[in-house]
Amino acid sequence: MPERGADDREPAAGPGLQRFLDAYFEHGVDGVLLTRPDGAILRANPAACAMLGRSEAELQRAGRAGVVQPTAAALELLAAGERAGRAQGELTFLRGGGDPFPVAVTSAIVLAEGGERYSVVVFRDLTERHQAEAALRAGQAERAERERWLQASQRVARLGHYVFDLGTDRWTSSETLDEIFGIGPDYPRDAGTWLALVHPDDRPGMAAYLQELLASGGRFDRVYRIGAREAPPRFVHGLGDLERDAAGRPVRLFGTIQDVTARIEAERSREELAEQLRQAQKLESIGRLAGGVAHDFNNILVVLLAGADALQQCLREGRPPEAEDVEEIQAAALRAKALTSQLLAFARRQVVAPVALDLNDAVRQAERLLRRLLGEDVALDLRLEPEPWPIVGDPGQLQQVLMNLAVNARDAMPGGGRLTIATSNLVEAGGAPAGWIGLDPGPGRHVRLLVEDTGVGVPAELRATIFEPFVTGKPRGKGTGLGLATVYGIVRQAGGTIRFHSEEGRGTAFELLWPISTERPASAPVQARAQAQAQATAPAARPGAPGRPREWILLVEDDAQVRDATSRALRSAGYQVAVAGGGDEALALLAGGLAPQLLLTDVVMPGMNGRQVADAVRAAVPGVRVLFMSGYAGDIIVHHGVVDPGLDLLEKPFTTAGLLERVQAALDR
């Protein structure tokens, strides 16, 4: 039967139905359509017009076929409604522009009035609900995907999470955390069972840590071991935040635990490799050091052996020794002493006696020697602070620093140039100036010694290692490469710092910063020490007549050759000498009635060391003078390279003149 249009539609329903439709159609929130079996739309309420995007007249012209998308399900639903008088389901309606949208048909009621049948279709737009459901499904899918990503990421990172409810003493954990701990879903979860997962050796510390955490409310952040004592060590890093209630009581701890065993093992491997590299570098440095020392000492030994052979030849032939041979032996011995001093300074093992001194005095005392050392083609320019602050240092070492830096500068200026030595008071703000390489002294007051030349500069490839032993830019055979390493050792042993700035072709500047002394410098300390060193290194003149026939010296030395040579020198000077190879022999001599005026003892000896011998002799002979001798006194009478206050030390090697001068000074105290 063909559908009817609006122009030939039949009259509206009766007054009872009309009143109902008027009231329901006008105020209902659901869309309501009144249709005939042939599909004609007789009435449409405002809600239906709004949802369908058409006026009532447009809907009447369109008919049901223009509103309902004609699917088999839709036709079946409408037919079922007409047969049964009621139907419910979802259909797809068409808006005015032809856009489909879902609706829920909540009732399709068939009414009969005046011999005609009518269908009342009540529907609701499901677009928003479908969108919400789609968004919900998408969100659920996204959350599920994120959860899969999270679980996959946790498995890859070996990172699990947990929540510990302190009120119920129960904790929950992720699958990855269970895998890390090696537990299953049936594992009981309370404070005791969690602590049982910690390595037995770490449990006491962990228990104390948790108690402190609960008391302070801080963050859980700890690396600890898990597993049994006999199992391979496994490490985890736990992070967690403590949640408190309104009263401030801890109620929940939640966080993550990551298996960091691989990382820690890798770090240990890197540390082991780094230590192996450091040891290899150390061995390489020792090899360079041993090779350089062997080279220089071999040269010295050649001179000593040649001189000794010449003396033996003279003795065999019954003629006096040549003065030149004796002088060469003495000169070679002094070279050996200087090299030993350099090695000790480099190793920071040289024995020093620091005093308060004026840096300007040290520079002035060295000026004449420096000018001879530099030669006529190098100008020496002194720029001294008028009133320098006093510093703490060893005068002899300070002279050695100036000499080494001057020699280094002279070699850098083969065609001549200028060497500037400047002193100044400096208040350091901290932080090395741009372009300077070396140590930062930190903020504070220092006295600055600047040694600057106009030479060739330090090659860029050597600047990072310039203070290492046997690092030199000089040609092979020119210098030992110990000069700057020695300066570095002396400065660091004195508590100072050193840094330098260099440009190839434009010269090098060394800046040495010395610590300030709280004491006033003694009168001309550098000059007095320099004179003493000059006497100690000068060729010894044989004493004419016995000097002190009534003074006894107890000599304690474990090296037989040193003991014999020293006792001969003392007896030749007129002293009466009793010798002992160690502390036990010395005590035996004292028990036999010996009462020496002076104890001359080595410091480092087997059995009783020098300080112990001195204590024993002082106890037996009150008032006895003590003079220690050593090339390296260790920590027996020297701490951090500095002689203990009140002690007198004669440094080895020494000349006869130096020995006698120090012995006489000790007896005169």
Side-chain angles (χ1 to χ4, degrees), residues 131-280:
Q131 290 175 345
E133 290 175 349
L136 178 61
R137 288 192 298 271
Q140 291 173 338
E142 184 178 354
R143 284 193 296 272
E145 186 67 15
R146 287 180 178 178
E147 182 67 23
R148 287 193 294 272
W149 292 345
L150 177 61
Q151 293 177 358
S153 299
Q154 288 185 350
R155 284 193 296 271
V156 171
R158 301 289 293 163
L159 177 72
H161 62 269
Y162 66 91
V163 177
F164 200 134
D165 191 312
L166 301 176
T168 61
D169 190 23
R170 290 291 181 270
W171 52 276
T172 58
S173 56
S174 65
E175 292 182 6
T176 304
L177 188 59
D178 291 351
E179 293 175 6
I180 292 173
F181 281 142
I183 60 177
D186 297 333
Y187 183 80
R189 286 165 165 78
D190 55 37
T193 58
W194 179 83
L195 198 59
L197 298 170
V198 180
H199 191 278
D201 294 341
D202 290 355
R203 285 176 197 164
M206 178 62 73
Y209 180 79
L210 287 173
Q211 290 295 327
E212 181 180 355
L213 177 70
L214 294 175
S216 64
R219 192 181 196 203
F220 188 100
D221 187 349
R222 192 175 179 89
V223 175
Y224 56 95
R225 291 176 294 175
I226 62 174
R229 182 180 286 111
E230 62 275 7
R234 294 173 57 213
F235 296 85
V236 296
H237 183 194
L239 289 173
D241 286 327
L242 189 63
E243 183 181 313
R244 294 179 177 272
D245 60 15
R249 294 183 296 267
V251 295
R252 189 176 293 106
L253 178 66
F254 55 92
T256 61
I257 293 177
Q258 184 175 21
D259 188 340
V260 293
T261 304
R263 188 187 75 192
I264 289 181
E265 290 178 348
E267 289 174 354
R268 287 181 174 177
S269 297
R270 284 195 297 270
E271 290 175 0
E272 291 175 358
L273 290 174
E275 180 61 25
Q276 291 175 5
L277 177 59
R278 285 192 292 269
Q279 293 298 329

Side-chain angles (χ1 to χ4, degrees), residues 464-484:
T465 57
I466 191 172
F467 295 118
E468 293 184 8
F470 302 109
V471 173
T472 177
K474 301 173 186 177
R476 184 177 295 275
K478 299 293 185 180
T480 63
L482 273 178
L484 291 178

Side-chain angles (χ1 to χ4, degrees), residues 281-295:
Q281 292 172 335
K282 185 183 298 184
L283 290 175
E284 182 180 357
S285 296
I286 292 173
R288 290 199 307 267
L289 179 64
V293 171
H295 174 270

Side-chain angles (χ1 to χ4, degrees), residues 24-25 27-32 45-48 51 106 122-125:
Y24 187 79
F25 280 18
H27 304 291
V29 295
D30 293 331
V32 178
N45 73 338
M51 283 185 275
T106 57
V122 180
F123 66 93
R124 179 171 296 177
D125 190 345

Side-chain angles (χ1 to χ4, degrees), residues 531-552:
Q531 291 174 350
Q533 284 190 332
Q535 293 175 1
T537 57
R542 184 177 180 82
R548 298 173 180 266
R550 293 187 303 275
E551 291 175 317
W552 273 93

